Amino acid sequence: MATSCLVCTGPVTQFLDLGRQPLSDAFPAPGDDLSREYFFRLALGQCSTCTMVQLLEVPPAERMFHQTYPYRSAGSAVMREHFARVAELLLDGRTDPFVVEIGSNDGTFLRTAAERGVRHLGVDPSGDAALEAAARGVRVRVDFFTEPLARHVLAEHGPADVVFSANTVSHDPNVNSILRGVAALLAPDGVFVFEDPYLGSVLANTAFDQIIDEHVLFFSARSVVGLLHRAGLELVDVERLPVHGGQIRFTAAHTGARPAAAAVDELLAEEDALGVHRMSRLREFAARTADRRRALVALLRRLRAEGARVVGYGATAKSATVANYCGLGPELVSAVIDATPAKQGRLTPGTHIPVLPPEAFGPGTADYALLFAWNHAEEIMAKERAFAEAGGRWVRYVPEVSVD
Ligand code: TYD
């Protein structure tokens, strides 16, 4: 099946189909009419013109990102520290900067600016998250970041010296409008810094659960160069990040405004050497994904036959893909543990496994914990050391299905 590219309208060829899937952050309440749950076909393809890897079907953005969107950046101590460090890095050495964040969520990144009295503005469609940001002293405009909105911000506040965005640029099918907006808002010597999942890491780790409704685009250095170019922006630096299982911090500027670091050409060359954009490589990833499903389902069925109690840990958006693709319901995974208040007491999207708070987990409560939040493994395993000490075992499926 071919459709047209969200970035350049070129032809997109499918290489992976993960089937019928719900919205990954839509947790129904037990009393809800479950027959009204929204489903779509989660399939991935590549544009043969600009190389961008992308979803073939994209649910409407307003259905995914709205007033009660439950994800919170502050839910991980590692991510809180990560964003504090990035904020310091971007603010240090600037006199009276104006900083804009696209997708400011609960203000975890901008709070550093707020605490230093730095002029700032977050833009985010979730009003609930914006209230939590306000409690951290962070100003948020509750809306989607688009080119018209960027022009309003420019008229009201003047040009931005720094535009930052984490896990948002790759989430929006209107990405060209975002980038034109950034280009309009950015001061002549300003920087646009964005962090998103990296296609190369997804392929290397067989991290098929990174494919969710919200991850509309999977960036590589090559596809980002083309994406930025369309808006008059240029990629001037790239840095690999260990967070969320492998991301890249892309730094962009107005074309010609700053010299590009050697790291950009190095990553472009590495991508060519690894064949990140080759259809054969993408199809091989799809085959490994099917292998992981077979192995995980076989393991969980065996554990059930042995009478073992299995729970999931982390009601991540990623876990919706795994659970729905592998057909994991409450009979295989009896509960999913998650520290996010807005998810607790609810059911997992599509598979309807109850979400319970961390207090329901611990020594003797389960024999196996399927680590859905594998990107936070260190933090979670340190916090839940007592589970393993009492003989509990952790199960992973990225990069391979394994029992710790
Ligand atoms: P995350 O992997 O950050 O993103 P996504 O939802 O996009 O896949 O989600 C982490 C989830 O795990 C989030 O719901 C919070 C939860 N969590 C805990 O319950 N305890 C923890 O210690 C950590 C770090 C996360």
Side-chain angles (χ1 to χ4, degrees), residues 25 69 71-72 75-77 79 212 214-215 244 313-319 337-340 343 358 372-373 375-376 379-380 383:
D25 266 314
Y69 178 66
Y71 184 79
R72 293 295 179 269
S76 154
M79 292 312 297
I212 57 171
E214 295 173 13
H215 293 173
H244 290 304
Y313 204 107
T316 55
K318 293 182 288 294
S319 68
I337 307 302
D338 198 285
T340 313
K343 297 182 183 178
F372 283 132
N375 47 316
H376 300 290
E379 183 173 350
I380 289 173
K383 198 183 283 180

Side-chain angles (χ1 to χ4, degrees), residues 135-272:
R136 296 186 167 100
V138 171
R139 287 187 58 187
V140 178
R141 184 153 177 164
V142 179
D143 209 337
F144 285 91
F145 187 95
T146 58
E147 185 181 5
L149 183 112
R151 292 191 184 279
H152 278 296
V153 174
L154 178 68
E156 215 171 297
H157 301 272
D161 303 284
V162 175
V163 177
F164 179 73
S165 184
N167 300 303
T168 304
V169 181
S170 64
H171 288 43
D172 196 326
N174 298 314
V175 66
N176 287 324
S177 175
I178 291 190
L179 292 184
R180 283 194 304 267
V182 170
L185 180 59
L186 204 60
D189 62 346
V191 286
F192 172 38
V193 177
F194 55 109
E195 302 182 357
D196 282 283
Y198 178 48
L199 175 64
S201 303
V202 173
L203 300 183
N205 299 325
T206 320
F208 65 95
D209 61 344
Q210 292 283 3
I211 304 160
I212 57 171
D213 53 348
E214 295 173 13
H215 293 173
V216 173
L217 306 167
F218 285 88
F219 292 159
S220 65
R222 177 159 312 285
S223 63
V224 164
V225 164
L227 177 67
L228 291 168
H229 180 74
R230 302 176 71 81
L233 298 168
E234 189 177 15
L235 185 60
V236 296
D237 206 357
V238 286
E239 189 185 337
R240 281 175 182 270
L241 305 172
V243 298
H244 290 304
Q247 300 207 321
I248 294 219
R249 177 180 301 145
F250 298 96
T251 302
H254 287 291
T255 302
R258 284 170 184 256
V264 174
D265 276 343
E266 282 163 17
L267 189 59
L268 287 168
E270 184 186 314
E271 289 177 354
D272 285 346

